[in-house]
């Protein structure tokens, strides 16, 4: 876990201010220190005060990344009630989830380049205000069509938190410290999918489905005020990009032309799709095929989420700095692939009739290994893009959501009596992620980042 109390000189990947003054360093490679940009404290600030500020920034960025999962998962227990309340078919109400997910994917493409041009703070605050307004209107929506429209807007605005949180991390950290910070964010944002359905269920005990959106509106207001008060600008004017949509598209084209960046991006997106396949299929597989109760499913879901979080913390606190990030990432992708192979063999009957416990164990291993893959793909990709962290973060997030959205419906393609499609989708995604890592990243070559200003992209 990154320590907000470290001095600039003691943090890896940062350049002390006095060295920046005495040596010519390209603007796009200068990484501002957290004390300079976020806290605005004098040089003699005590270590405990700086550590408290660093923890606050961690919590703010964690809250931003946790808000979209909260928006999705708190709403899940209310779907049947929404169907009855608005008098719409269940299939139509399901579109409210798809609309939110699509908004999160597309919104990142828009907000990422905006944050490279105007800085992180203004687009983030604008996104948060729109999120609050859209969520409040969802609470008042009289028809399913209006609910779908504003769920889409809610996702578009909520994407600002995801993409800008990653860009802020890139502004503040580099190398090993960035990987540690992403592991910390995984701890915070990983808790959200676990507690969100529980919170939603408890809200439904007190009020109806509209109350869930009221709670999300309040959360959005609080987070907006916290961002406005404590999260200062992290991208100085000299590192911002000029130009409009054309310049943003050229920047993204240049990023995609970087084979190594694209390899990390696709490897992370395909690994994320394997996780999406689990989320989409596990309620059906565990409860319908293996006959577990909803309580058992909730327990298994929670255990798997805890496994992902725990391994992510091992990655950040133990492995980073001691083992190459590429080596850890490669090992994680190999474990995910082997777990997917085992799940396919078990669900297809190769070992005969297999009970819930072996399948649950395979899912636990697969999910836990995500704690090695996801932080390191994000950190490794963003390490190559200090000149366009917002656009790079947008491409990473959008590709993950879009690949996951394509993979998720395939898990039920063979009906309700087999879990083979889930395991097969996970295996294809895992093999694809490993192939992108080996074929595009080629970690044994240790290629340096390609840094180009926006005008050259």
């Amino acid at each position: 876990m990154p320590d907000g109390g470290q001095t600039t000189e003691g943090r890896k990947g940062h350049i002390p201010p006095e060295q920046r003054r005495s040596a010519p360093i390209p603007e796009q490679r200068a990484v501002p220190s957290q004390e300079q940009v976020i806290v605005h404290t004098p040089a003699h600030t005590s270590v405990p005060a700086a550590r408290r500020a660093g923890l606050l920034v961690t919590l703010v960025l964690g809250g931003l990344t946790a808000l979209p999962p909260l928006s999705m998962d708190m709403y899940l227990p209310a779907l049947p009630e929404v169907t009855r309340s608005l008098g719409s078919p269940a299939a139509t109400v399901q579109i409210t989830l798809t609309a939110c997910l699509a908004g999160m994917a597309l919104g990142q493409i828009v907000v990422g380049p905006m944050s490279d041009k105007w800085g992180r703070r203004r687009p983030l605050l604008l996104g948060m205000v729109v999120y609050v307004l859209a969520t409040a209107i969802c609470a008042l929506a009289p028809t399913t069509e209006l609910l779908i429209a504003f769920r889409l807007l809610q996702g578009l605005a909520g994407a600002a938190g995801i993409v800008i949180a990653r860009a802020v991390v890139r502004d503040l950290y580099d190398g090993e410290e960035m990987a540690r910070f992403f592991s910390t964010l995984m701890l915070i944002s990983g808790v959200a999918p676990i507690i969100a359905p529980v919170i939603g269920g408890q809200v439904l005990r007190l009020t109806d489905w509209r109350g869930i959106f009221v709670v999300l509106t309040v959360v959005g207001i609080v987070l907006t005020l916290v961002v406005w008060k404590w999260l200062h600008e992290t991208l100085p004017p000299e590192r911002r990009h000029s130009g409009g949509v054309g310049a943003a598209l050229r920047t993204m084209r240049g990023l995609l032309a970087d084979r190594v960046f694209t390899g990390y991006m696709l490897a992370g997106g395909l690994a994320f799709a394997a996780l999406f396949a689990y989320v989409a299929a596990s309620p059906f597989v565990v409860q319908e095929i293996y006959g577990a109760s909803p309580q058992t499913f909730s327990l298994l879901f929670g255990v798997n989420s805890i496994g992902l979080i725990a391994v992510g913390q091992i990655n950040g606190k133990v492995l980073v700095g001691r083992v190459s990030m590429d080596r850890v990432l490669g090992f994680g992708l190999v474990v995910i692939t082997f777990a997917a192979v085992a799940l396919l063999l078990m669900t297809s009957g190769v070992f005969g009739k297999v009970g819930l416990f072996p399948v649950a164990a395979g899912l636990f291993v697969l999910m836990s290994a995500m704690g090695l893959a996801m932080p390191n793909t994000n950190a490794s990709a963003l390490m190559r893009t200090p000149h366009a962290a917002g656009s790079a973060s947008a491409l990473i997030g959008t590709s993950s959501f879009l690949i996951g959205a394509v993979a998720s419906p395939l898990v039920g393609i063979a009906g309700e009596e087999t879990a083979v499609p889930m395991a097969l989708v996970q295996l294809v995604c895992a093999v694809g992620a490993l192939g992108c890592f080996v074929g595009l990243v080629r970690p044994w070559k240790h290629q340096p980042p390609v840094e180009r200003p926006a005008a050259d992209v």
Side-chain angles (χ1 to χ4, degrees):
M1 182 182 298
D3 186 349
Q6 287 180 303
T7 61
T8 306
E9 292 80 356
R11 189 162 56 223
K12 294 181 181 178
H14 286 266
I15 304 170
E18 62 270 21
Q19 290 184 15
R20 279 205 293 269
R21 288 192 294 267
S22 61
I25 296 175
E27 280 186 329
Q28 69 267 26
R29 290 189 65 88
V31 180
S33 69
Q34 185 174 354
E35 289 79 6
Q36 286 179 313
V37 178
I38 290 290
V39 187
H40 295 289
T41 54
H44 61 271
T45 301
S46 65
V47 171
R51 182 176 293 116
R52 287 195 297 272
L55 176 61
L56 179 61
V57 172
T58 303
L59 293 175
V60 172
L61 296 181
L64 291 172
T65 57
L67 188 59
L70 282 175
S71 302
M72 290 288 294
D73 295 343
M74 274 185 66
Y75 176 66
L76 293 178
L79 286 176
E81 185 176 331
V82 175
T83 301
R84 293 189 298 269
S85 173
L86 298 181
S88 298
T92 303
V93 174
Q94 287 282 351
I95 298 176
T96 61
L97 293 175
T98 305
C100 188
L101 183 62
M104 290 179 190
L106 298 176
Q108 295 184 64
I109 284 290
V110 176
V111 177
M114 286 174 59
S115 74
D116 282 338
K117 181 177 181 179
W118 292 308
R120 313 304 184 201
R121 182 174 165 83
R122 283 191 291 172
L124 177 56
L125 286 172
L126 176 62
M128 293 302 300
V129 170
V130 174
Y131 173 89
V132 168
L133 294 175
T135 306
I137 295 175
C138 286
L140 303 173
T143 65
T144 306
E145 291 75 18
L146 192 63
L147 181 60
I148 291 171
F150 280 93
R151 282 286 277 174
L152 175 64
L153 183 59
Q154 184 192 41
L156 287 167
I162 304 174
V163 67
I164 292 180
R166 276 195 301 261
V168 168
V169 174
R170 182 61 187 94
D171 293 340
L172 298 177
Y173 297 99
D174 200 359
E176 296 167 359
E177 286 297 317
M178 183 162 53
R180 289 193 181 99
F181 202 99
F182 276 123
S183 294
T184 303
L185 288 187
M186 179 172 288
L187 170 63
I188 299 172
S189 61
V191 172
I194 302 175
I195 65 172
V198 177
I199 295 174
Q202 295 304 310
V203 171
L204 289 176
R205 295 183 63 181
L206 302 174
T207 181
D208 61 5
W209 64 271
R210 298 181 188 274
I212 291 177
F213 288 108
V214 172
V215 172
L216 288 172
T217 301
V218 173
V219 171
I221 292 172
V222 171
L223 195 53
T224 302
L225 294 175
V226 169
V227 168
W228 176 75
K229 176 71 174 178
W230 282 293
L231 190 63
H232 295 228
E233 183 56 65
T234 62
L235 187 67
E238 63 270 17
R239 292 179 57 201
R240 299 177 190 176
H241 295 175
S242 59
V245 175
L249 293 177
R250 287 193 298 272
T251 298
M252 290 186 176
R253 185 179 63 194
L255 292 172
L256 293 174
D258 180 0
R259 170 178 51 79
V260 179
F261 170 82
T262 302
Y264 283 124
M265 180 189 74
L266 291 177
L270 287 164
F272 194 62
L275 185 150
F276 257 59
Y278 159 77
V279 172
S282 59
F284 161 73
V285 170
V286 173
Q287 295 180 78
E288 299 297 326
I289 296 180
Y290 291 98
S293 66
Q295 291 74 26
T296 301
F297 164 71
S298 299
L299 176 62
L300 292 176
F301 191 89
V303 168
N304 289 340
S305 299
I306 291 171
L308 186 152
I309 295 169
V311 173
Q313 294 312 292
I314 292 173
N315 174 72
K317 297 177 74 67
V318 178
L319 299 179
V320 171
R322 295 179 174 88
V323 184
S324 161
M325 280 194 289
D326 280 336
R327 184 171 296 180
V328 174
L329 172 56
F331 177 76
L333 293 176
V334 168
V335 172
I336 292 170
T337 302
F338 275 108
V341 169
L343 285 167
L344 181 60
L345 293 176
M346 287 188 287
T347 56
S348 61
V350 171
F351 300 131
K353 187 174 178 60
V354 175
L356 175 60
F357 181 78
V359 173
L363 290 171
F364 175 80
V365 172
L366 185 145
M367 285 291 292
S368 297
M370 294 289 177
L372 300 177
M374 293 170 61
N376 290 314
T377 52
N378 286 336
S380 298
L382 289 172
M383 279 173 61
R384 301 185 63 81
T385 60
H387 59 288
S391 296
S393 177
L395 288 173
I396 293 168
T398 300
S399 63
S400 297
F401 275 94
L402 290 180
I403 296 172
V406 170
S408 296
L410 300 178
V411 299
I413 198 169
E416 301 181 358
E417 297 182 358
T418 176
V420 170
M422 177 195 72
L424 185 59
V425 168
Q426 289 175 328
L427 180 58
V428 170
C429 291
V431 171
L434 191 57
C436 289
F437 178 65
V438 174
L440 295 177
V441 175
R442 302 174 192 173
W444 57 88
K445 291 192 174 182
H446 300 289
Q447 294 174 311
V450 178
E451 297 191 10
R452 293 168 290 184
D456 298 335
V457 173

